[in-house]
Amino acid sequence: MLLQQRQLVQSADRKLNRRAIGLVLCLLAINTIALFPLLTTGYCGDDILNSQIRGELIQTHRNLWGATANYIGLWIRNEGRFFPLAFYIYPVFYAIKSVFLYKLLVLTIVLANLSALYCFLRKLTGSALIPSTCLLLLPLVIQFRSAWDPILGFCAQYPLLTLLLFCSLILFLKYLDNQDRGALAAATLLFLCCALIFETSYPMCLLYLVVAYSRLRSRRAALLASFPFMAVTALLVTISLVLKKFAVAASQVYKPNFSPAQVLKSYAVQSFGAIPFTYYWLDPRSEEHTSELQSL
């Protein structure tokens, strides 16, 4: 009798898992339709130059890794910017010569990002309704711009960064729920990768504090649980400030800005730029914002 009950429970779980997978696939299909014009676009923004890496290797007589290391060093020495993992773009463009295949890779990363968002919200809230609603509403805010678009340009850097962030948060929840030290180590490593891709991920360490508090309901316990992510951020901010202090050819755009209002405004532009009509008020290409939006 007990064996039959267990078999019934397992059968119900399998049906539930199949339904959940089917739901996610349907939601991803809806988002794919909204994102489909992505596959018809060419190289945009910085990708126009970065996609010519093969020609640059011929011109400079360097191999792929030598050219990549050279650019990492130039950004560190000249601008004081420490984001070495952002240069995965050169191996990507070296390996993928077809524009269509490159855009297909970008679409895959975006869809993986949405899947990770669903899993994170499902694990955080325990509800399928909230993440399903989020994925269902996302096509309403998808839009593309001719330059500096977070999806069309930058070799899928922003979708990849958020994919790593959501995966890290999922592992962090696993640590909070099961005290799995391996999950905490993996979550910290993924967050470190985010921070080494782009500096805008530094303040995302606060997300771990919020998630920890939502689970533990104790400020002290939440601070202790999120300490590794705070430590990673503090270390990289220190390295960034030191490098910027000794940068040999720092441009005005990349100099440290300690004005809280301008820093918050910069992150607001980058965080909410996908919302329709925000560029009427938060246009990063306008002269006013070009002089104000300076990252750490």
Side-chain angles (χ1 to χ4, degrees):
M1 186 67 179
L2 182 60
L3 179 60
Q4 291 178 344
Q5 289 178 344
R6 288 179 178 176
Q7 290 175 343
L8 287 173
V9 170
Q10 291 175 354
S11 178
D13 288 341
R14 283 195 295 271
K15 290 181 179 178
L16 182 62
N17 289 336
R18 284 198 294 270
R19 288 179 181 176
I21 292 173
L23 173 62
V24 173
L25 290 177
C26 288
L27 292 169
L28 291 179
I30 294 172
N31 280 274
T32 300
I33 294 172
L35 290 163
F36 184 79
L38 162 68
L39 298 178
T40 66
T41 61
Y43 294 124
C44 300
D46 291 351
D47 290 350
I48 296 173
L49 292 176
N50 293 331
S51 62
Q52 301 177 39
I53 183 63
R54 284 178 173 267
E56 183 170 345
L57 297 183
I58 295 173
Q59 183 180 19
T60 59
H61 303 289
R62 289 192 175 98
N63 60 30
L64 175 62
W65 308 114
T68 303
N70 178 61
Y71 274 109
I72 293 173
L74 286 175
W75 276 98
I76 291 175
R77 291 192 299 272
N78 293 342
E79 301 288 356
R81 297 188 68 189
F82 186 63
F83 56 138
L85 294 188
F87 293 90
Y88 71 84
I89 56 176
Y90 295 127
V92 168
F93 283 122
Y94 184 86
I96 303 177
K97 293 181 284 185
S98 166
V99 179
F100 176 77
L101 290 179
Y102 165 68
K103 294 296 180 175
L104 193 61
L105 173 65
V106 174
L107 177 62
T108 303
I109 293 174
V110 173
L111 294 178
N113 182 9
L114 298 181
S115 302
L117 171 62
Y118 179 93
C119 294
F120 166 64
L121 292 177
R122 178 70 185 267
K123 191 173 182 63
L124 178 67
T125 64
S127 167
L129 178 61
I130 294 175
S132 298
T133 302
C134 289
L135 262 64
L136 188 61
L137 294 177
L138 272 175
L140 298 177
V141 298
I142 290 176
Q143 54 185 333
F144 298 130
R145 302 178 183 87
S146 59
W148 317 121
D149 187 87
I151 295 178
L152 295 184
F154 306 106
C155 196
Q157 187 177 97
Y158 289 96
L160 178 61
L161 189 152
T162 48
L163 170 62
L164 295 175
L165 180 64
F166 287 133
C167 289
S168 176
L169 287 167
I170 292 170
L171 289 168
F172 184 55
L173 281 172
K174 182 178 180 181
Y175 162 71
L176 295 175
D177 294 338
N178 304 321
Q179 294 301 304
D180 187 336
R181 295 284 180 179
L184 177 62
T188 306
L189 178 61
L190 288 179
F191 178 70
L192 175 62
C193 291
C194 290
L196 293 177
I197 288 176
F198 195 34
E199 302 99 320
T200 193
S201 57
Y202 290 173
M204 298 303 172
C205 64
L206 297 176
L207 288 175
Y208 296 86
L209 179 61
V210 174
V211 169
Y213 183 78
S214 72
R215 276 290 199 268
L216 304 175
R217 297 298 178 183
S218 166
R219 293 178 184 176
R220 177 180 174 81
L223 281 170
L224 289 174
S226 58
F227 174 77
F229 309 96
M230 302 293 182
V232 166
T233 300
L235 174 62
L236 291 179
V237 166
T238 302
I239 292 174
S240 179
L241 291 175
V242 171
L243 290 175
K244 287 179 185 296
K245 181 177 177 61
F246 295 101
V248 297
S251 60
Q252 185 65 32
V253 174
Y254 298 121
K255 287 184 178 179
N257 188 331
F258 299 101
S259 169
Q262 291 187 9
V263 171
L264 288 174
K265 194 172 186 179
S266 175
Y267 279 109
V269 171
Q270 298 185 53
S271 300
F272 304 108
I275 300 175
F277 307 113
T278 53
Y279 268 41
Y280 284 103
W281 300 279
L282 299 172
D283 184 359
R285 299 186 68 189
S286 68
E287 294 183 3
E288 176 187 357
H289 291 293
T290 300
S291 62
E292 289 182 356
L293 301 182
Q294 301 171 357
S295 58
L296 288 174

